[in-house]
């Protein structure tokens, strides 16, 4: 049986993994679904100081305190930017990395560097106009953009959390060698694809990673939990 650490994307929390977690634990796997600082049930901790390094620390602390090894680390969307720093910090504890519809940044880049320029500018403008200059507020438009199924939109929408702009602007500084040494898989969603992920997906292809596809929108976890769980089991099984 495998050990999974499943990490959510922007505005979500560990709650979004519940359908996937239930399927994996029922199959006998050990599954952790942490909520990053300022997100999900930890939303009361939201401050302007929260950034990429905060969330890297969240995960390194989790693996250390739980003494987890041979971990299959699964990163959704925003969480992909944590991969390089995490591989450098705790690579010896990881069995594999899975980028689930996730962003991939190179050393010295931030999340907004790999977004289309117009999208990055839109996020900065929204933070200035509606987020006191430091956060992105949740909005119904994200439910459409992420392909949330109609029957889940009310449930998901009321649980989305404001997201610190610093998580998008803080650069990831890391040695690329530990990341390159880990078995890595990129799961691309195709119905529809998301233009913002094109650069990240292209990098995964050029790196020769295992490439897989799932026919749903960006919030793969909620749109196709059964297929997501089955795909993660397959990856962990080698």
């Amino acid at each position: 049986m495998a050990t999974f650490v499943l990490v959510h994307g922007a505005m979500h929390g560990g709650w979004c993994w519940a359908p996937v977690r239930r399927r994996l634990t029922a199959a006998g796997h050990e599954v952790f679904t942490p909520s990053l600082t300022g997100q999900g049930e930890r939303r009361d901790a939201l401050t302007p100081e929260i950034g990429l390094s905060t969330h890297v620390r969240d995960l390194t602390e989790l693996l250390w305190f739980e003494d987890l090894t041979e971990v299959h680390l699964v990163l959704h969307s925003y969480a992909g930017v944590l991969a390089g720093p995490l591989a450098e910090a705790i690579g010896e504890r990881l069995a594999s990395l899975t980028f689930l519809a996730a962003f991939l940044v190179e050393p010295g880049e931030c999340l907004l560097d790999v977004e289309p320029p117009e999208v990055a500018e839109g996020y900065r403008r929204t933070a200035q106009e509606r987020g006191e200059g430091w956060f992105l507020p949740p909005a119904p438009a994200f439910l459409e953009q992420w392909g949330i199924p109609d029957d889940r939109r009310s449930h998901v929408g009321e649980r989305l959390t404001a997201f610190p702009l610093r998580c998008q602007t803080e650069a990831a500084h890391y040695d690329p060698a530990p990341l390159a040494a880990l078995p890595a898989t990129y799961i691309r969603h195709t119905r529809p694809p998301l233009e913002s992920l094109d650069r990240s997906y292209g990098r995964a292809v050029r790196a020769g990673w295992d490439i897989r596809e799932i026919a749903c929108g960006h919030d793969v976890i909620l749109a196709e939990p059964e297929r997501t769980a089955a795909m993660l089991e397959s990856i962990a099984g080698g």
Side-chain angles (χ1 to χ4, degrees), residues 15-62:
W15 59 267
C16 71
W17 288 101
V20 174
R21 184 184 65 238
R22 285 193 290 267
R23 287 163 170 80
L24 292 175
T25 55
H29 302 294
E30 186 175 30
V31 184
F32 295 82
T33 57
S35 288
L36 300 172
T37 300
Q39 302 291 278
E41 78 279 6
R42 303 182 67 192
R43 60 188 175 180
D44 287 349
L46 187 68
T47 69
E49 290 72 38
I50 293 171
L52 179 150
S53 56
T54 312
H55 292 160
V56 169
R57 187 164 59 252
D58 286 341
L59 297 170
T60 56
E61 293 283 82
L62 169 67

Side-chain angles (χ1 to χ4, degrees), residues 80-95:
V81 304
L82 310 175
L86 287 171
E88 182 173 19
I90 54 171
E92 72 281 358
R93 292 182 177 271
L94 303 180

Side-chain angles (χ1 to χ4, degrees), residues 23-222:
R23 287 163 170 80
L24 292 175
T25 55
H29 302 294
E30 186 175 30
V31 184
F32 295 82
T33 57
S35 288
L36 300 172
T37 300
Q39 302 291 278
E41 78 279 6
R42 303 182 67 192
R43 60 188 175 180
D44 287 349
L46 187 68
T47 69
E49 290 72 38
I50 293 171
L52 179 150
S53 56
T54 312
H55 292 160
V56 169
R57 187 164 59 252
D58 286 341
L59 297 170
T60 56
E61 293 283 82
L62 169 67
L63 268 66
W64 187 83
F65 275 100
E66 295 286 351
D67 197 20
L68 302 180
T69 58
E70 291 298 308
V71 171
H72 297 279
L73 182 62
V74 182
L75 307 170
H76 179 240
S77 194
Y78 151 74
V81 304
L82 310 175
L86 287 171
E88 182 173 19
I90 54 171
E92 72 281 358
R93 292 182 177 271
L94 303 180
S96 73
L97 272 173
T98 296
F99 289 73
L100 179 61
F103 291 93
L104 172 59
V105 296
E106 295 181 347
E109 290 182 330
C110 69
L111 175 56
L112 293 188
D113 289 333
V114 297
E115 290 269 22
E118 65 277 11
V119 173
E121 176 55 32
Y123 287 150
R124 289 190 176 96
R125 184 170 58 250
T126 297
Q128 288 299 321
E129 295 174 353
R130 300 180 50 225
E132 303 176 15
W134 64 271
F135 68 86
L136 288 177
F142 286 117
L143 300 175
E144 179 68 29
Q145 176 182 331
W146 296 335
I148 304 295
D150 290 343
D151 62 349
R152 300 298 305 276
R153 289 195 176 187
S154 175
H155 175 87
V156 173
E158 63 190 14
R159 286 168 173 77
L160 295 183
T161 311
F163 190 63
L165 184 65
R166 187 171 179 179
C167 290
Q168 297 182 290
T169 60
E170 183 181 349
H173 296 289
Y174 65 93
D175 176 358
L179 178 60
L182 287 168
T185 298
Y186 194 99
I187 301 175
R188 185 190 191 205
H189 63 87
T190 61
R191 193 177 296 171
L194 187 65
E195 181 185 0
S196 291
L197 291 172
D198 285 351
R199 184 180 298 184
S200 299
Y201 171 68
R203 288 176 173 178
V205 171
R206 289 191 295 275
W209 292 356
D210 178 22
I211 303 295
R212 306 191 184 200
E213 295 185 348
I214 189 165
C216 65
H218 182 61
D219 227 323
V220 178
I221 304 160
L222 296 166

